[in-house]
Amino acid sequence: GAVVSQHPSWVICKSGTSVKIECRSLDFQATTMFWYRQFPKQSLMLMATSNEGSKATYEQGVEKDKFLINHASLTLSTLTVTSAHPEDSSFYICSARLPNLAGKYNEQFFGPGTRLTVL
Amino acid sequence: LAKTTQPISMDSYEGQEVNITCSHNNIATNDYITWYQQFPSQGPRFIIQGYKTKVTNEVASLFIPADRKSSTLSLPRVSLSDTAVYYCLVLNTDKLIFGTGTRLQVFP
């Protein structure tokens, strides 16, 4: 299947700093990528849809100025957590969608996730 | 988007068949039923998808009754490595909205 990578796999930062997380589709082009956040023992929460060459679409309640998303190429989307605070500590996961295939609908491939800890 | 309801947790033993049922009473005509699996500290992984009747792949089977208001994910002969959270999603768009999922614990 298709492979999606994330970098870094984990990061620890001080409160007030910004952190950039990269999401790459390694063997396919993804015009659309998605960013999720997951707190311990909870489900994934969709944060935003990242569209190549255009602005991201954020879900209700997600601050676009705090979570900056850039999808500069067909294989790379970045999520920057600006002025991070301890409450931003979470597991951030990206996914990329393959074009719809016969018999399948919107199958998505997920990255391994990035664990962010803000001190 | 159709809301899904599934058991919070299930226990099983190695070698047993596990059936996880998901309710989606408000499923729309264009909706597909999709299941994902997630291990701790990893991204979810696609398991199976179906629209109606039965779908089977090398990992699982998905049973969907005629009214499509529920679906059952069947895992044959589970092993310890099947311990994970299983999410049922009903979708017809790009956006995946995850519910609470079912935490499956497999014991030796």
Side-chain angles (χ1 to χ4, degrees):
Chain A
V3 178
V4 175
S5 70
Q6 282 184 239
H7 178 80
S9 57
W10 60 269
V11 57
I12 301 173
C13 70
K14 293 183 179 180
S15 185
T17 61
S18 294
V19 175
K20 179 185 287 188
I21 302 170
E22 294 184 347
C23 175
R24 294 182 185 273
S25 55
L26 297 185
D27 49 3
F28 67 100
Q29 294 183 331
T31 56
T32 304
M33 292 183 175
F34 303 87
W35 286 96
Y36 298 80
R37 181 167 58 178
Q38 186 175 33
F39 293 107
K41 303 293 185 184
Q42 295 187 22
S43 184
L44 286 81
M45 185 195 79
L46 178 65
M47 299 175 67
T49 302
S50 173
N51 303 297
E52 189 267 336
S54 65
K55 290 183 179 180
T57 304
Y58 291 83
E59 294 300 301
Q60 190 174 6
V62 178
E63 300 174 56
K64 62 180 181 180
D65 294 330
K66 179 167 185 63
F67 299 99
L68 301 179
I69 292 173
N70 185 284
H71 196 150
S73 77
L74 288 172
T75 59
L76 173 65
S77 174
T78 60
L79 168 69
T80 301
V81 183
T82 62
S83 186
H85 290 284
E87 57 266 30
D88 298 323
S89 298
S90 187
F91 192 53
Y92 291 87
I93 310 170
C94 72
S95 73
R97 179 179 69 83
L98 285 174
N100 290 343
L101 304 174
K104 289 191 175 183
Y105 197 100
N106 300 314
E107 178 175 357
Q108 291 187 24
F109 294 89
F110 287 80
T114 297
R115 185 160 304 282
L116 169 64
T117 302
V118 185
L119 302 177
Chain B
L1 294 170
K3 178 181 169 62
T4 60
T5 303
Q6 48 184 126
I8 293 175
S9 64
M10 293 182 69
D11 292 336
S12 183
Y13 291 93
E14 281 190 294
Q16 291 189 332
E17 178 184 78
V18 171
N19 296 308
I20 306 174
T21 297
C22 177
S23 297
H24 27 79
N25 291 318
N26 297 323
I27 190 168
T29 303
N30 296 333
D31 286 341
Y32 280 72
I33 300 158
T34 308
W35 287 78
Y36 281 82
Q37 174 194 55
Q38 185 182 28
F39 297 112
S41 296
Q42 294 187 28
R45 182 176 73 104
F46 174 89
I47 300 176
I48 198 166
Q49 181 183 75
Y51 183 81
K52 61 180 179 180
T53 62
K54 176 183 175 182
V55 179
T56 297
N57 61 23
E58 62 278 7
V59 177
S61 294
L62 178 60
F63 299 92
I64 306 169
D67 65 5
R68 304 198 328 122
K69 293 183 182 298
S70 68
S71 60
T72 299
L73 174 72
S74 181
L75 305 172
R77 297 181 298 282
V78 294
S79 63
L80 295 176
S81 62
D82 292 316
T83 293
V85 178
Y86 293 81
Y87 294 98
C88 164
L89 293 91
V90 173
L91 56 96
N92 63 12
T93 71
D94 284 344
K95 292 166 64 169
L96 301 186
I97 305 300
F98 286 81
T100 55
T102 297
R103 190 172 299 273
L104 172 65
Q105 179 69 55
V106 180
F107 295 95

